[in-house]
Amino acid sequence: MTNALPEIRIGADGPEAVAASPEMLADLLATLESEVARAGVPVGQWLSPPATESDLKAALAESGLLLSAELAILYTWHDGALPGGHAALPRFPFEPYLVSLDRYRIRRANDEQFEDQLGFGGWGDPAGWLPLVADSFTRVVDCTDPDGRPPLVRSTEPDFAGQRPLAQGRSLCTLVTWWIEGIRSGAHTWQADRRIWLLDEVKLPALQREYRLA
Amino acid sequence: MAAALSAALLIGSAAPAHADPVESIAVSVASLFRVPANGQLGYYVELEVQGLWGPTGACPSSANWCGESLQFRTASGSIVTTSEESIPYGWNPWVDEFVGTTPIARVNDVRVRIRGWGGYAYSAWVPVDDDLADPEVNLDVSTFHWNSGAGQAQIVAGVIGTGYGVPEGICPPSSNWCFGYVEGKLASNSSVVTLAYANDYWGQPWPRKHDFSATVNVAELSAIRARLRGSGGDIYGPWISVSPEGISAGHDLAAAGGLIAVAAAGMSSAEGCLTFFLFGPPVPGSSLNQPQAACLSATSGGMSFAAYVRALLPTLSSAQINQLLVASGVAAATAAAAVSPDLDYGHTLPSGCLWATPVSISCSWASGTTTYRPISAPPVLDPVYEDNFLNAATNPWRNPTTDDPISGPLPTPWVGLSGRDVWREALRECERQLNTDNGAGVSVGESLGVEDCLGERIFFTGDNVAEATDHDAEVISADVSTMVLHYKSIAEKGVTKPAWTSIPACAGKTSAQDCDEYPFFATSEGYDGSGQTPDYRPILSANNQAQGGSYGVFVGACFSTQTTLPDTPAREFLVVASRAIPTTFGYCSR
């Protein structure tokens, strides 16, 4: 485990953790878990046991999605949150992959309804992008290129189209790095009595605020 | 807009006029287009001349002057030459470019001319694709009211000319006059009359719109159109049909009077006065408003309520007539509600009842079959007013006759409705919401400054996303000011929506639900990170996302973040939320 965080640089696809890799992601997730626990979250009781990579890969494949190495690291860290434990991570009510796949199917059905509406670019999660959070404003991961570079990640928005690629970046390392930075900077503070993370956006680094990714 | 380019490099053949030039000229048209604001031809042409300053040719070494210019050949065969520029002595080869704009008729081809003491040399003609718009004139009707009783037509309309202000056009720049007209066609003999005109087009860049607002005396009309007339001739827009029967303030008075009379059947005159006249200033020291007091006074002498309304209608404004119609519809619905409050959209119908039409429920009781009106069914408006909204000729905004609001399957009882049916239901519900009392003695529309539903931008959310619509409707019902919102993109807001786990109202959200909010996040009124808190509620995810998709389509079609600023009237829109609207869609200018 390391406490040093990678540098985030702006690339062609948005912000990206320098030298992002599955190994780096595993380290960062462990750091995130310890930061969250230090803040007072009973993270061990709130997050699910890990998924198995073979089950995960097979389930994604049923929906035509490909498992990237980073996504495998994420779900084999924890398979989302247990019921009642979704507040464990700041701004990230992490869902089990089976819930995410249900969400994915809802999004696709919605796409079909609007596919003939010219000019509507959607929420930024076309086919092939798996939502990690069960809400309309969610984080989605590109599951179309498992062997390439670290996957693209996005925050979905109703008017995603037409913007320069804000709300988009590359690698889950980027998101996790920013969550850790948010906790360390005091932007995310745990309110134990209310069981919620409060956010003071002013304390977020400017790049995070601009890109709205984490 | 930009013309296809002829980028081929062509070598011009010498064409001496007074000598025997030896220069050869290569021409490449890099860009040729029409400037949208004024129709001038924009050009970027490159040239390379070989053989200058030799012993002979157009520009021989014996002289020290040589000029170059660009020539356009128009569709009519005229040749237009640009200003001549000097070529510095001794340069060979000579490479240069022509860049500029010029008012000119449609161009077929272009070449370069060299001129010196030895005469002229030319490149070959290079064909070009000039996308100059054909001259066109159209009528953009904002209002057409015709009062046959008074023999007057009130017209508010724009005459829009395009592609006319170029040389050889309808109104060439050399001319100092160019008229726009609104013309009418008489129903009886098809003769054409001028309703309004203005000499407002000459010397103008194009496209040009002149807004006419006129009240004209005319006995009858069947159609109206736009016309443009200049020294180059006349062009006409298409005829737009107008209905000539008994129209006043945009309404069919006979139909409106009939609808109100039916709703008032069984009421005393006094009851009718109090039930239907819900608008107007209060009478000081009384709980009545002035129209109610006038009605009570007029009918106390024995005049029937129906007769009073028929006499009154021609004196009312369009919005006041709508208010009367809505009040009549609400009265009818209230009567139905007294019979069975459960017969409505979104309710499970009692055993023995089924939807007969989208606005009627048939119930088979032991005593026989009874047809009910759903409590929330919006009141019927008169057909002329509805047609003004539904027809392209009288609706200047998105065309309900061609724009299909149905983007997915319709729920019961709406299955089988056409797009036009959906538009009609949406209009009726919109007018109902605007013309009901806001609880403080004025209509909702008056409190919002919104006169009617022919406005510029409306987002309708309906029965196909029932939980989202119910949420929005309840928030609006609690605070009608939230019926008017302003689009603001997420990028412009610069804040991120909180995770649902940080929103207490959504603490109980299940994995099948989304944390819905109203006012919508992508509005000025939505969450802004500084204490402005919308209303949150967990709702079915599919509902939230389908509504979000429709909202995305709406804002994508209706707002430009490039040309309008957030938090301004240009971003304003009305939200009409009701299960009485079959589906969810937006409405705005084309």
Side-chain angles (χ1 to χ4, degrees), chain A residues 17-134:
Chain A
V18 173
S21 68
E23 296 74 21
M24 176 191 283
L25 179 62
D27 283 350
L28 287 168
L29 288 169
T31 302
L32 175 66
E33 187 161 345
S34 64
E35 293 281 356
V36 167
R38 186 180 306 141
V41 178
V43 63
Q45 301 166 39
W46 283 9
L47 293 180
S48 298
T52 62
E53 185 168 336
S54 57
D55 290 349
L56 174 63
K57 187 171 186 176
L60 262 62
E62 283 183 19
S63 291
L65 301 174
L66 302 173
L67 180 64
S68 62
E70 282 200 4
L71 205 58
I73 292 291
L74 178 69
Y75 283 110
T76 55
W77 169 60
H78 288 288
D79 182 18
L82 293 164
H86 286 91
L89 304 174
R91 297 183 66 77
F92 186 55
F94 183 27
E95 291 289 354
Y97 70 82
L98 290 177
V99 172
S100 289
L101 285 168
D102 280 345
R103 282 306 177 119
Y104 179 72
R105 287 185 274 273
I106 291 174
R107 301 289 276 203
R108 300 286 70 76
N110 198 43
D111 277 359
E112 288 175 16
Q113 185 176 339
F114 295 103
E115 64 185 356
D116 61 342
Q117 304 269 5
L118 295 178
F120 176 51
W123 288 64
D125 62 335
W129 292 68
L130 181 71
L132 304 179
V133 173

Side-chain angles (χ1 to χ4, degrees), chain B residues 160-499:
Chain B
I160 306 165
T162 308
Y164 61 91
V166 294
E168 303 177 27
I170 298 298
C171 298
S174 58
S175 170
N176 64 356
W177 63 278
C178 184
F179 284 84
Y181 294 81
V182 180
E183 293 186 333
K185 182 159 63 176
L186 302 186
S188 56
N189 59 11
S190 294
S191 61
V192 177
V193 296
T194 297
L195 302 177
Y197 65 95
N199 183 14
D200 191 35
Y201 292 79
W202 64 273
Q204 300 287 351
W206 58 268
R208 165 77 176 163
K209 178 181 179 185
H210 180 96
D211 291 317
F212 292 90
S213 179
T215 300
V216 294
N217 294 317
V218 58
E220 49 162 337
L221 277 180
S222 64
I224 55 177
R225 71 176 177 189
R227 172 191 179 190
L228 207 59
R229 183 179 185 212
S231 61
D234 295 85
I235 52 173
Y236 302 90
W239 285 112
I240 297 170
S241 297
V242 294
S243 174
E245 298 300 329
I247 299 166
S248 180
H251 286 275
D252 180 335
L253 298 185
L259 288 166
I260 295 165
V262 168
M267 291 183 183
S268 67
S269 292
E271 192 180 356
C273 293
L274 298 177
T275 303
F276 292 94
F277 289 102
L278 300 176
F279 54 86
V283 175
S286 163
S287 61
L288 301 176
N289 62 41
Q290 290 179 15
Q292 286 173 330
C295 176
L296 289 171
S297 173
T299 56
S300 63
M303 186 180 195
S304 74
F305 175 74
Y308 174 71
V309 167
R310 274 196 294 273
L312 183 71
L313 281 174
T315 70
L316 298 180
S317 70
S318 177
Q320 288 171 327
I321 295 173
N322 271 338
Q323 286 176 324
L324 270 176
L325 290 168
V326 166
S328 70
V330 170
T334 304
V339 174
S340 179
D342 290 331
L343 298 176
D344 204 3
Y345 307 108
H347 291 209
T348 301
L349 298 183
S351 177
C353 294
L354 51 83
W355 287 95
T357 74
V359 291
S360 63
I361 299 166
S362 177
C363 295
S364 297
W365 309 123
S367 56
T369 299
T370 308
T371 300
Y372 298 100
R373 182 176 175 80
I375 301 164
S376 301
V380 175
L381 302 170
D382 80 77
V384 167
Y385 184 78
E386 292 187 349
D387 283 348
N388 279 341
F389 178 85
L390 293 167
N391 293 338
T394 44
N395 187 334
W397 305 103
R398 184 165 279 204
N399 182 356
T401 60
T402 57
D403 292 351
D404 191 350
I406 302 172
S407 59
L410 292 173
T412 302
W414 313 107
V415 177
L417 255 62
S418 69
R420 187 179 172 91
D421 294 333
V422 172
W423 280 108
R424 184 182 292 107
E425 295 302 318
L427 171 69
R428 290 173 176 177
E429 176 59 19
C430 179
E431 292 292 357
R432 187 193 68 77
Q433 293 197 13
L434 286 185
N435 290 294
T436 49
D437 191 288
N438 76 341
V442 298
S443 72
V444 168
E446 284 177 284
S447 72
L448 298 174
V450 182
E451 185 176 340
D452 58 36
C453 296
L454 305 182
E456 300 182 12
R457 293 175 288 269
I458 305 177
F459 182 64
F460 298 101
T461 177
D463 202 26
N464 69 321
V465 292
E467 291 192 16
T469 295
D470 283 349
H471 181 204
D472 302 344
E474 286 174 29
V475 176
I476 290 170
S477 176
D479 177 3
V480 294
S481 72
T482 60
M483 203 171 168
V484 175
L485 301 179
H486 296 78
Y487 170 63
K488 193 171 190 177
S489 76
I490 309 294
E492 289 168 335
K493 297 194 73 150
V495 295
T496 313
K497 183 185 172 185

Side-chain angles (χ1 to χ4, degrees), chain B residues 545-560:
Chain B
Q545 300 195 16
Q547 188 194 55
S550 296
Y551 183 67
V553 172
F554 168 65
V555 300
C558 298
F559 301 101
S560 165

